Amino acid sequence: MINVALPKGRLSDEVFALLEKSGYKGASLAKNSRSLILEDEENGIRYFLVKPSDVHVYVLHGAADIGVVGKDTLLEATPDVYELLDLRLGVCDMIVAGPQGFVDPGDSPLRVATKFPNIARKYYGEKGREIQLIALNGSIELAPLVGLSDVVVDIVQTGGTLKANNLAILETILPISARLIANIASYKFKAKEIERMKLALAGEVPG
Ligand code: PRP
């Protein structure tokens, strides 16, 4: 049996569709279920449905052998796990956004609101720009609108949230997509099962 941590929410449908295409029971298992554990007995797989930003925690501690997680979360949390495969799902960008036409005056520390403090610190550290970090958990785009920050470091997918709030992309930090990760010990002891799943998924990742 291998245990697989999957992200609930936005990425979920895409991941289940990829599993289904790769020969696993994906969407059909998830349908009409509120259970947080889904069993695919035929293939010897148990899925855990977890908050996207918690997937790596289950994998790091071995509760899950493998998992699907956004590169944004991996860069932020830097968990000691193997990154096996770029699934090319949940494609988006990590960006700096702010009011249209915003120009950094550069005199005082730039106030940066974000759910990704480590990524933001690293990005501005490399640029040599001093910042004041404002760590938030969501609705990041609100911060510059109400004077809590000058800019945000966040992910943009459709651009809909920025547009609806009259914000613009000022800089692109890096592209993001979902990755297959593995627990280090599991990868050793369940190598065959994990490799089988990795290869099946790899054959179906979008081009
Ligand atoms: C994410 C992100 C942006 C939004 C971008 O937030 O932080 O707010 O999605 O997506 P878009 O470009 O398609 O509009 P999420 O939906 O995860 O909600 P949150 O505010 O709770 O972080």
Side-chain angles (χ1 to χ4, degrees):
M1 194 68 142
I2 57 170
N3 296 315
V4 183
L6 296 182
K8 288 201 294 182
R10 201 188 273 232
L11 247 186
S12 172
D13 288 349
E14 283 182 77
V15 173
F16 279 120
L18 179 66
L19 282 168
E20 200 85 28
K21 266 201 271 178
S22 311
Y24 295 93
K25 279 190 206 145
S28 49
L29 271 182
K31 225 196 251 164
N32 303 324
S33 175
R34 299 277 297 168
S35 174
L36 298 174
I37 302 179
L38 305 174
E39 295 213 7
D40 177 357
E41 282 174 26
E42 209 175 294
N43 290 301
I45 298 174
R46 197 155 57 152
Y47 298 105
F48 305 152
L49 305 183
V50 311
K51 198 174 152 91
S53 53
D54 289 340
V55 166
H56 68 277
V57 179
Y58 286 81
V59 174
L60 176 67
H61 294 283
D65 300 303
I66 58 176
V68 173
V69 61
K71 184 69 178 174
D72 51 338
T73 306
L74 290 179
L75 290 169
E76 181 60 26
T78 60
D80 197 8
V81 297
Y82 290 138
E83 188 180 317
L84 301 181
L85 180 67
D86 183 351
L87 296 169
R88 299 196 208 146
L89 305 176
V91 175
C92 52
D93 286 312
M94 180 71 61
I95 51 100
V96 178
Q100 309 268 0
F102 174 83
V103 179
D104 180 359
D107 43 8
S108 49
L110 186 69
R111 296 172 307 150
V112 180
T114 188
K115 289 188 277 198
F116 304 100
N118 293 328
I119 293 173
R121 215 178 276 119
K122 183 162 181 282
Y123 178 68
Y124 284 104
E126 282 166 3
K127 283 167 58 116
R129 176 69 174 105
E130 200 187 334
I131 62 168
Q132 182 194 344
L133 256 181
I134 297 153
L136 296 175
N137 295 302
S139 300
I140 310 301
E141 293 83 355
L142 181 62
L145 300 181
V146 298
L148 178 61
S149 75
D150 300 311
V151 296
V152 301
V153 165
D154 201 8
I155 47 177
V156 61
Q157 190 166 32
T158 62
T161 311
L162 290 180
K163 195 166 171 226
N165 291 290
N166 284 317
L167 297 173
I169 296 174
L170 305 173
E171 295 155 58
T172 298
I173 300 179
L174 81 172
I176 301 291
S177 57
R179 307 297 160 104
L180 183 69
I181 58 169
N183 172 273
I184 290 174
S186 299
Y187 193 64
K188 198 166 162 189
F189 296 112
K190 298 187 184 179
K192 212 173 72 190
E193 296 88 334
I194 292 174
E195 273 300 308
R196 190 188 306 136
M197 192 164 198
K198 177 187 144 183
L199 287 176
L201 293 171
E204 297 298 333
V205 296

